[in-house]
Amino acid sequence: QVQLVESGGGLVQAGGSLRLSCAASGVGLRINAMAWYRQAPGQQRELVAVITSGGYTNYADSVKGRFTISRDNAKYTVYLQMNDLRPEDTAVYYCQVGASTISSIVPRDYWGQGTQVTVSS
């Protein structure tokens, strides 16, 4: 099994910044792509950003130029640096990791518990 622990959410004023972290753990962990999703009240969960094992990144149009996804492979951690935050960025943010372990060798997706980001106007 893979455990994901998220941190870094909170309340910030419009124009401010936050940095989310998501640390993965598991025996014999091998991680493929890592991503951040978000879900606002009454809305579907949407992809915010993704980073492959090779470091390629892709972003939702709504966050391009403001958010940056990165990963530290030695720490099995993915980050989301969020700058110039807007009220419409308010949502619960979830990390998603494609991974396998020594006991679960077929890669599958794992989800974090979610962290609330609230941007006030």
Side-chain angles (χ1 to χ4, degrees):
Q1 282 285 22
V2 176
Q3 289 77 44
L4 299 176
V5 177
E6 300 181 28
S7 60
L11 173 64
V12 64
Q13 289 188 333
S17 298
L18 284 174
R19 188 191 194 208
L20 306 182
S21 300
C22 175
S25 62
V27 178
L29 185 60
R30 293 194 174 190
I31 298 178
N32 300 321
M34 308 178 86
W36 288 96
Y37 285 73
R38 67 185 180 187
Q39 188 167 20
Q43 303 294 319
Q44 289 189 333
R45 191 171 297 189
E46 64 172 353
L47 177 65
V48 176
V50 60
I51 184 167
T52 69
S53 57
Y56 292 99
T57 60
N58 198 20
Y59 297 90
D61 287 342
S62 59
V63 307
K64 282 181 181 177
R66 300 188 298 123
F67 290 11
T68 302
I69 189 170
S70 61
R71 60 192 285 171
D72 185 333
N73 291 327
K75 296 181 179 180
Y76 302 110
T77 299
V78 61
Y79 305 96
L80 186 68
Q81 177 66 44
M82 304 184 293
N83 298 329
D84 189 23
L85 283 160
R86 304 168 181 171
E88 54 264 38
D89 294 318
T90 296
V92 178
Y93 284 71
Y94 298 89
C95 67
Q96 182 205 52
V97 170
S100 63
T101 67
I102 196 170
S103 60
S104 182
I105 61 174
V106 178
R108 50 158 284 195
D109 290 336
Y110 295 88
W111 291 87
Q113 80 279 9
T115 185
Q116 177 70 46
V117 171
T118 303
V119 184
S120 63
S121 57

